[in-house]
Amino acid sequence: MDLDEDVNTPTTRLLTLLNVSALKSRKRTRNEDPPAHEKLNKRKTVRLAEDINLDSAPLTSYDKTDNGVEDAIETSDNVDSQDTAAPYEQHYGPNTDLVSDASRSSVDQRRWTSSREKVGQLSTVFSLRDEDTTPPRKKIAKKTAILERLRSSFEARQSKLPLGQRQLQDDLLSILSAHLDLYHPALSLDDHGSIREVIALHALDHITKKRRRVLKNNERLAHTKAASASPPEDVQDQGFTRPSVLILLPFRSSALAWLNALTTHTPSPAYQIENHSRFLSEYGLPPDAVDKLAVAEPGTYPRDHVETFKGNVDDNFRVGIKLTRKSVKLFADFYGCDLVIASPLGLRMSIEKEKSADFLSSIEILVIDQINALAMQNWEHVQYVLSNMNNLPKDSHDADFSRIKPWFLDGHSSYLRQSILLSPFEMPETRALFNNTLKNTAGKVRVEKTWPAIQVPESIDQTFTPFDCASPKDEPDKRFAYFTTQLLPRVLKSAVQSANTVIFIPSSFDFIRVHNYFRKQSSVSFVVLSEYSTNQEISRARQAFFSGQKAFLLISERFHFYRRYKIRGIRNLIFYGPPEHPQFFSEFLSFPFLDDGVEASDVVSRVIYSKYDKFRVERIVGTRGVKGLLEGCS
């Protein structure tokens, strides 16, 4: 075996980690007071097990709250019923059979058996390991899998919702409680809040069950130590680090909405929310700020734009949340919290600054919300975070290795992590993530949607033009070649089509390429609108195009996503590729009618597409119509 390969095996890395931990433990003789300003993910010094008083429980990261009072086990529901404990233990218990050599091999080789099933009102595709003999319907858990303490208050609030939303919540909760991966690429604005609340409930249920198991084992160990008896061996209940839930979001306003969903299940006065005022000040708008999107008359801005961009839209944030029986502590240290809410950019900057992603080593539930917005930011940041999850840590962080679950020690935690992906529509990047990256051996579920065709005025001259492309790697070059050698020359020869023409470009890389090409064409007058355009540049470009001083306007999808300006003066539309957001297609086809006297017959629309644009084309022409358009693609 190659030496470098041998060094990088999980076993070798784990042994190295144990040796380093042992050496460091000899140097720890007492607790030290933490400095006034700790680093974001600074490790805390803890006492060794032999230093603990016999009257106290063995030390873990769950032992004490900030005021030094032990976080006791709930007495009202001290023993988990079989219905609530079984799904959790079967999936996340130390002796789970979901990480066998056969199951991991099946997932690694992508041997999935897929079937379409109805879950309530949801049309879904189940993907299970081919040797998994459990039918999809048997995988679905009952709502009673949620702890009674959380379920009762949830059902009381749920009873006030419309029947359709109650049914949707129950359907999703049954999937989530079975610890299957969930990919929902058909999330509507009306359902987003209800779905966010039910996922928050699932996350809190997971954290509560994990905490109860740890505290019960603490109590067992304390009793055996006090009785000078041999400690029990079945106390593997933790990961390398405490955080077990990660929620990735695009904006601070999104984090505020998720915190509200979480605290809905932890109401006062039973629960105290620590540092809540600080969170509201940092994640909301300043007291004197006016949110023009929130206060505008309905219809002034598209509803999806308002819902996405109202509030604080800063995209660099991360916050740790610690949950105890009676409190929700915000801004907790990353290695002492249960749940992390962050943007991909914020996490990446933290990881690169600290040169460590160990706090992501034991994530058991991953939620990625508003994927369409994250894709408009930088999808590479999402990929970077995922690549740093569920890896063996570089440092021990004072972990008690006798309490760590075996599948964490074996480096198999990614095969048990439950991932929840939420988006209003599907993209190739997210389908590839779902198909290729997610390894949950319990299985995964994808929600399907039948898309209706977008309604546009009948007299508009619309043409969908395919170009041949045999490989997705060649697609950008093939698209550019078709545009520059066939479509654009025909447009330039027409006096009508070579003026008042908008070229809409979905990809930022394609936008730069087309922009550079136009700069070399001295005979073509044009202006550009990109996400980097200043307000002054935007004003000048819109005026020059509307007045006819410039014949062409190049506009990127990211510009329209962030700015959502109405563009006047359009008579001809060229979609360099179908828009990712289907509503953008109908919006641009409506813009010509902002000008007086424009008839539908005056408007020409051209869409270039390949077979790799299936998802985008489907959202425009409908699920039924896309089949005919793709038949001629090669």
Side-chain angles (χ1 to χ4, degrees), residues 374-394:
L374 294 175
M376 287 288 109
Q377 292 175 342
N378 192 332
W379 189 247
E380 185 183 345
H381 294 333
V382 177
Q383 295 173 318
Y384 179 86
V385 172
L386 293 179
S387 69
N388 280 279
M389 287 183 59
N390 297 108
N391 298 328
L392 289 176
K394 297 178 180 178

Side-chain angles (χ1 to χ4, degrees), residues 379-437:
W379 189 247
E380 185 183 345
H381 294 333
V382 177
Q383 295 173 318
Y384 179 86
V385 172
L386 293 179
S387 69
N388 280 279
M389 287 183 59
N390 297 108
N391 298 328
L392 289 176
K394 297 178 180 178
D395 203 343
S396 66
H397 302 282
D398 300 319
D400 181 352
F401 282 84
S402 67
R403 300 285 294 272
I404 296 177
K405 298 174 185 178
W407 41 268
F408 274 116
L409 298 173
D410 294 336
H412 297 158
S413 59
S414 61
Y415 293 96
L416 294 177
R417 187 188 72 222
Q418 181 183 32
S419 300
I420 304 166
L421 314 178
L422 304 175
S423 178
F425 51 77
E426 191 163 19
M427 297 175 290
E429 294 87 349
T430 52
R431 177 66 77 89
L433 173 63
F434 178 76
N435 286 342
N436 304 330
T437 304

Side-chain angles (χ1 to χ4, degrees), residues 58 217 220-225 228-235 402:
N217 285 336
R220 292 171 61 203
L221 288 168
H223 288 163
T224 57
K225 190 168 186 177
S228 300
S230 299
E233 297 181 357
D234 58 338
V235 290
S402 67

Side-chain angles (χ1 to χ4, degrees), residues 160 168 200 556:
K160 302 176 183 178
L168 175 63
S556 71

Side-chain angles (χ1 to χ4, degrees), residues 560-588:
H560 193 61
F561 175 77
Y562 284 107
R563 300 294 189 128
R564 218 55 173 270
Y565 280 105
K566 296 178 179 178
I567 308 298
R568 299 183 61 186
I570 301 175
R571 299 298 179 271
N572 305 293
L573 279 161
I574 298 176
F575 290 92
Y576 189 82
E580 197 76 78
H581 297 72
Q583 63 270 30
F584 293 179
F585 184 79
S586 58
E587 287 177 12
F588 271 84

